[in-house]
Amino acid sequence: MKFCANLGFMFTEASSILERYSLAKDAGFKAVESGFPLGFTLEQVRDAKEKAGIEHVLINLKTGDVTKGELGVTAVPGKENEFKENFETTLNYAKALNAKKIHIMAGKLDNPTSQNWDTYEANLKYAADVLKTENILGVIEPINQYSVPNYFLSDFHKALDIIKRINSPNLKLMLDIFHLQQLMGDISHSITKFMPYVGHVQIAQVPHRNEPDTPGEINYQFVLEQLISNGYQDWIGLEYKPLKNSKEGLVWIKKYGYTL
C-alpha cells in the first residue's frame, strides 16, 4: 500500500497549501495529492514541493473558486474554451510538479440534459488526447450528492460507460471508496468490477469523512485487502478530515499493518 496525503483535507493546521508540503513530509509521507492551488503561482507551488522533497501524485483541474461552489465547467455547453483554458493551466502546473495524474472535475448543474453529457464526453475526449502526448493520466470521479449537491457526475456506471466509449489509456476512473459506499455500496464486487478501469483510489470513513478506523459504515482493513487482492498497487489518497491532529491521526496505518 502506498498512501499519499490530500493537502486539501489534511494538515489544515497550516493555512497555506505551501506549508502543508513540509508538514506532510514531516509526518512521514512520501507523496501528496491536492486540489488546484488557487492563489499561488506555479513557481511558488513547485518550490514548496521541491523544498519539502516530496512527490506530488495528483492535482485537480482548475475549477474556479471552490468556496463559491465552482467545481468546473467540463459538462457546460458553450464554455468549451473556458474548459480548455483551465485544463491547459492545470496541465502546466502538473508538468511543473511532475504530477502524473489530473482529476478532471465535471462541475455542478441543477438540471442536466443530454447536451450536458455530450459536452462532458467531448471535453474528456479532448483532454485524453492531449494527456496522451504528455504521458499524464486523467481521472474522473463520481461524487455523492450528500457531499456535493448537484455535482454532475454522481453515477459510477455512467462514468464507466464514458471511459469505455472514449477508450483511451489516458482516461480512467477515480475510485473514491467514500463516494462508492454512498452512491451504490456493494464495495467488494464493485472493486472487482471497476479495477481494470481504475487510475487512482481515495479513502475516508462514511458518513463523517474521518480516518478509516473511526466509527462508520466501512471496514477499511477489509477494503484495503480487497484492493490488494484485485491487483491495485498505485497510490491511495487519504482524502479525509482528521478528527484532531493530522499526524496523530495516522496511527491507523500501523494498526492495520501498513507503513508510510
Side-chain angles (χ1 to χ4, degrees):
M1 289 278 96
K2 301 193 299 180
F3 300 106
C4 61
N6 186 291
L7 298 186
F9 284 80
M10 301 184 73
F11 305 107
T12 53
E13 50 265 38
S15 59
S16 164
I17 187 176
L18 303 183
E19 301 171 70
R20 294 175 197 172
Y21 282 103
S22 59
L23 290 177
K25 179 71 172 182
D26 180 64
F29 284 99
K30 298 178 178 65
V32 301
E33 62 181 22
S34 78
F36 188 85
L38 289 166
F40 297 102
T41 66
L42 182 154
E43 291 76 18
Q44 287 176 309
V45 181
R46 180 187 59 204
D47 291 349
K49 176 250 185 186
E50 292 180 354
K51 183 178 180 181
I54 199 166
E55 184 177 348
H56 197 125
V57 174
L58 173 146
I59 184 172
N60 285 3
L61 179 72
K62 182 181 179 183
T63 57
D65 189 344
V66 293
T67 64
K68 297 179 181 177
E70 297 173 1
L71 292 176
V73 296
T74 310
V76 183
K79 293 197 173 184
E80 289 84 355
N81 288 338
E82 183 178 341
F83 165 77
K84 290 177 181 178
E85 290 171 3
N86 289 343
F87 179 74
E88 182 179 2
T89 298
T90 308
L91 181 60
N92 289 335
Y93 273 73
K95 290 163 67 174
L97 295 168
N98 198 30
K100 295 301 183 182
K101 302 178 185 180
I102 294 176
H103 172 201
I104 306 171
M105 303 191 74
K108 293 172 66 175
L109 291 164
D110 291 329
N111 298 295
T113 67
S114 59
Q115 188 178 9
N116 294 112
W117 285 104
D118 291 343
T119 300
Y120 183 56
E121 188 167 336
N123 281 334
L124 290 176
K125 175 67 166 60
Y126 167 84
D129 289 343
V130 174
L131 291 172
K132 186 174 182 180
T133 67
E134 301 289 353
N135 193 30
I136 292 175
L137 178 67
V139 292
I140 58 174
E141 176 186 25
I143 293 177
N144 79 80
Q145 295 290 310
Y146 302 109
S147 298
V148 185
N150 298 323
Y151 190 74
F152 178 72
L153 185 64
S154 59
D155 187 312
F156 274 90
H157 292 108
K158 288 184 178 180
L160 193 60
D161 287 344
I162 288 175
I163 290 168
K164 288 180 177 179
R165 283 198 299 273
I166 293 176
N167 191 28
S168 167
N170 295 86
L171 183 68
K172 292 194 174 185
L173 181 70
M174 170 99 83
L175 184 63
D176 188 324
I177 307 298
F178 172 79
H179 295 300
L180 176 65
Q181 168 64 7
Q182 296 181 86
L183 286 170
M184 58 183 291
D186 195 21
I187 293 176
S188 296
H189 292 111
S190 296
I191 287 174
T192 300
K193 178 179 180 179
F194 297 141
M195 190 52 64
Y197 305 94
V198 171
H200 194 65
V201 171
Q202 292 177 330
I203 60 174
Q205 186 56 275
V206 175
H208 301 302
R209 206 168 195 159
N210 301 131
E211 286 89 342
D213 66 334
T214 54
E217 300 176 15
I218 303 176
N219 178 350
Y220 266 109
Q221 189 147 25
F222 178 81
V223 168
L224 292 172
E225 291 169 358
Q226 291 296 299
L227 290 168
I228 293 171
S229 65
N230 278 276
Y232 189 74
Q233 299 178 338
D234 208 340
W235 293 101
I236 295 178
L238 306 187
E239 196 184 40
Y240 62 71
K241 302 173 184 176
L243 273 177
K244 296 180 181 178
N245 178 277
S246 298
K247 188 174 182 179
E248 292 173 357
L250 294 171
V251 294
W252 68 268
I253 293 178
K254 184 177 181 180
K255 183 169 74 174
Y256 283 2
Y258 303 108
T259 63
L260 286 178

